Amino acid sequence: AQSVTQLGSHVSVSEGALVLLRCNYSSSVPPYLFWYVQYPNQGLQLLLKYTSAATLVKGINGFEAEFKKSETSFHLTKPSAHMSDAAEYFCAVHSRGGNNRLAFGKGNQVVVIP
Amino acid sequence: NAGVTQTPKFQVLKTGQSMTLQCAQDMNHEYMSWYRQDPGMGLRLIHYSVGAGITDQGEVPNGYNVSRSTTEDFPLRLLSAAPSQTSVYFCASSQPTGPGNTIYFGEGSWLTVV
């Protein structure tokens, strides 16, 4: 079964600094990978997704993620953090040929320090 | 564009009471699912449906029932609420498996069982 691992439940980053959230996946077949963001008291919003086209995927709000098969990773980055990036971020995977069942990581709560 | 609509947004229940969380989507999606979100646990799949009349259990199905009589609606029933079911519940929908079909989430239902 597919799964994802996100380390570090809380991540603090200074305003203007690099945001790096790590995601490693486990899947028996080439996966589809997603990053979702959840702002306080809101639902989940898709940031970006990997579907086997380009390995570097650009998403909304200046975020991007790179799929590295050799490292089974799909880390999320943003060059310069804004206060508005404070939210919880979830990495998720589902396998090709499956039934769209998403397996989520435990999430990273990002705090942006002024 | 309604997308995925969940009601109610907030609910307080007493232990042993029953209730139904409603979920409706207007995108003609075949696949619908329910997740619960708990601190430090990410989102966990409760039940899912791949089409009208077809449902199956996810990762944490105990204490919940679902049915899918129409393509649009996928209600989640708590037959006898327990404090352990205090959580945030998300309904999601998507087309059947394709090249990383985006899964759309509702805005969540905050449930407290006292």
Side-chain angles (χ1 to χ4, degrees), chain B residues 32-47:
Chain B
M32 296 185 74
S33 53
W34 278 101
Y35 293 85
R36 60 177 288 173
Q37 182 184 21
D38 302 290
M41 303 292 288
L43 279 79
R44 293 179 292 170
L45 182 65
I46 304 172
H47 285 285

Side-chain angles (χ1 to χ4, degrees), chain A residues 13-95:
Chain A
V13 59
S14 297
E15 190 176 15
L18 171 72
V19 179
L20 170 61
L21 303 179
R22 300 178 186 275
C23 173
N24 290 89
Y25 70 89
S26 171
S27 177
S28 58
V29 298
Y32 301 126
L33 292 158
F34 304 79
W35 276 100
Y36 283 87
V37 60
Q38 184 182 27
Y39 298 103
N41 298 320
Q42 294 187 24
L44 277 75
Q45 180 181 2
L46 181 68
L47 268 179
L48 48 81
K49 63 181 179 182
Y50 167 74
T51 60
S52 83
T55 56
L56 182 62
V57 181
K58 294 187 183 300
I60 62 172
N61 301 339
F63 284 93
E64 63 182 35
E66 186 172 9
F67 173 72
K68 292 187 177 180
K69 184 178 179 180
S70 61
E71 299 177 7
T72 61
S73 69
F74 190 56
H75 301 334
L76 181 72
T77 60
K78 181 174 180 177
S80 176
H82 295 167
M83 296 301 294
S84 59
D85 294 326
E88 189 155 22
Y89 294 80
F90 294 95
C91 183
V93 63
H94 74 75
S95 296

Side-chain angles (χ1 to χ4, degrees), chain A residues 32 34 36 38 41-44 46 49 51 88 90 94-102 104-107, chain B residues 9 31 35 37 40-43 45 48 58 90 94-103 105-107 110:
Chain A
Y32 301 126
F34 304 79
Y36 283 87
Q38 184 182 27
N41 298 320
Q42 294 187 24
L44 277 75
L46 181 68
K49 63 181 179 182
T51 60
E88 189 155 22
F90 294 95
H94 74 75
S95 296
R96 297 161 195 267
N99 54 15
N100 269 14
R101 292 178 60 172
L102 276 176
F104 282 88
K106 294 185 176 181
Chain B
K9 183 145 187 168
Y31 185 86
Y35 293 85
Q37 182 184 21
M41 303 292 288
L43 279 79
L45 182 65
Y48 66 98
F90 289 97
S94 67
Q95 291 290 20
T97 302
N101 281 343
T102 297
I103 296 173
F105 286 84
E107 294 200 343
W110 276 253

